[in-house]
Amino acid sequence: MPANTVKHRFSNKAASYEQYAIVQKEMANRLSAMVQTARPRNAVASILEVGCGTGRLTRLVRSQYPHADYEAIDVAGGMIAQAQASLASLGLTARFCQADAEEWVWKQPAASRDLIVSGACFQWFSRPEQTIRGLCRLLKPNAPLFFSTFGPATFCELHDSFAYAHASLGENNVRHGLAFLAAEQWLSMLEAAGMESLQAIQQKVVLHYPRVADFLHAIKAVGANTSEDKRAGLGRRRLMLAMMDYYERTYGEEQGVRVTYDLLYISGSRKPRP
């Protein structure tokens, strides 16, 4: 997805993001715990966070490494404003930069970071393999990268319901939402970028919403709604009604409609120089 589209979408949803980003909070908590276990304070002098959003992971990691130089970047200015305010409320500081990480990374000095972290951001990269290579280039020898992202089974119920709706209307299926990469694909990119000690942890989380409309509202409220279907009007309405009807009939449970999140936590360390 173009960086400008992502920038405007997330800036516009910065105020509502924290309220609806339930799974992203879980991801930030787990990722920060992994970082803290792996890297003692005295081993980290320079930290880069990619895609800081409203700053939940920023607050956690910054608290763990209060004396490190901490730079957080995000493409959305509205998100950065929220992150700055949330850090200030805790008496914490960091350097923030509004930038497209996929361009920004190539303008930074190589081997300059002791730690790179990123929470629920990498799925938005339009050139993931190239950007991973650029980020790994910034790491000092033996320095780690930790990131969380979403795996291919995320929103499997939604994708199945859209496929049924398109078929029931005699249409070709169209992807609704991002196409998420598998852990093996991320690990392959990291290995090609000169990383070792690679690890991937998968976590399945299931949430329930009263109705499909409530689920879709929550996705829109965090700025994560995207689709290859560009139609509007009556055709779009018929598709959405068919999708929601099938979703609620097929995946409705006592607690509400089921929504699966496939969470990935991936890490690796920069190989030492020969």
Side-chain angles (χ1 to χ4, degrees), residues 103-168:
E103 303 292 341
W104 177 92
V105 69
W106 297 104
K107 302 171 186 175
Q108 308 309 308
S112 58
R113 311 291 172 147
D114 295 302
L115 170 65
I116 297 178
V117 297
S118 181
C121 167
F122 282 18
Q123 68 273 6
W124 294 102
F125 288 160
S126 58
R127 301 181 301 278
E129 188 169 7
Q130 179 180 343
T131 306
I132 286 286
R133 191 166 65 249
L135 287 169
C136 294
R137 166 185 163 272
L138 301 187
L139 289 167
K140 297 176 183 178
N142 300 311
L145 163 67
F146 288 85
F147 70 92
S148 63
T149 188
F150 296 96
T154 298
F155 301 159
C156 54
E157 301 91 351
L158 178 68
H159 297 312
D160 178 53
S161 299
F162 266 121
Y164 173 87
H166 280 295
S168 71

Side-chain angles (χ1 to χ4, degrees), residues 207-242:
L207 299 184
H208 291 87
Y209 292 84
R211 299 172 303 142
V212 175
D214 298 300
F215 162 49
L216 297 178
H217 175 73
I219 295 303
K220 189 173 183 179
V222 299
N225 53 307
T226 180
S227 174
E228 295 177 5
D229 187 358
K230 305 304 180 186
R231 295 174 307 163
L234 184 58
R236 172 75 174 176
R237 177 171 171 76
R238 280 200 299 262
L239 175 69
M240 294 300 293
L241 289 174

Side-chain angles (χ1 to χ4, degrees), residues 20 25 137 171 201:
Y20 290 95
K25 292 175 186 176
R137 166 185 163 272
E171 303 170 354
I201 299 171

Side-chain angles (χ1 to χ4, degrees), residues 160-208:
D160 178 53
S161 299
F162 266 121
Y164 173 87
H166 280 295
S168 71
L169 296 172
E171 303 170 354
N172 293 326
N173 193 24
V174 176
R175 178 75 183 186
H176 296 262
L178 296 175
F180 299 113
L181 299 177
E184 294 76 15
Q185 293 172 283
W186 289 113
L187 292 176
S188 178
M189 291 181 209
L190 289 172
E191 185 175 20
M195 301 288 280
E196 63 181 11
S197 302
L198 304 177
Q199 183 181 34
I201 299 171
Q202 186 177 32
Q203 177 188 14
K204 289 288 182 67
V205 172
V206 175
L207 299 184
H208 291 87

Side-chain angles (χ1 to χ4, degrees), residues 6-58:
V6 177
K7 176 177 68 176
H8 293 306
R9 180 170 293 163
F10 279 101
S11 278
N12 290 340
K13 301 302 180 182
S16 60
Y17 184 90
E18 290 263 348
Q19 178 184 349
Y20 290 95
I22 299 169
V23 170
Q24 289 84 347
K25 292 175 186 176
E26 161 69 18
M27 296 169 83
N29 293 340
R30 182 161 184 173
L31 190 67
S32 66
M34 292 171 60
V35 172
Q36 186 174 27
T37 300
R39 304 302 288 180
R41 286 187 178 185
N42 59 8
V44 178
S46 177
I47 301 172
L48 169 65
E49 182 184 354
V50 180
C52 64
T54 54
R56 182 169 185 83
L57 182 62
T58 318

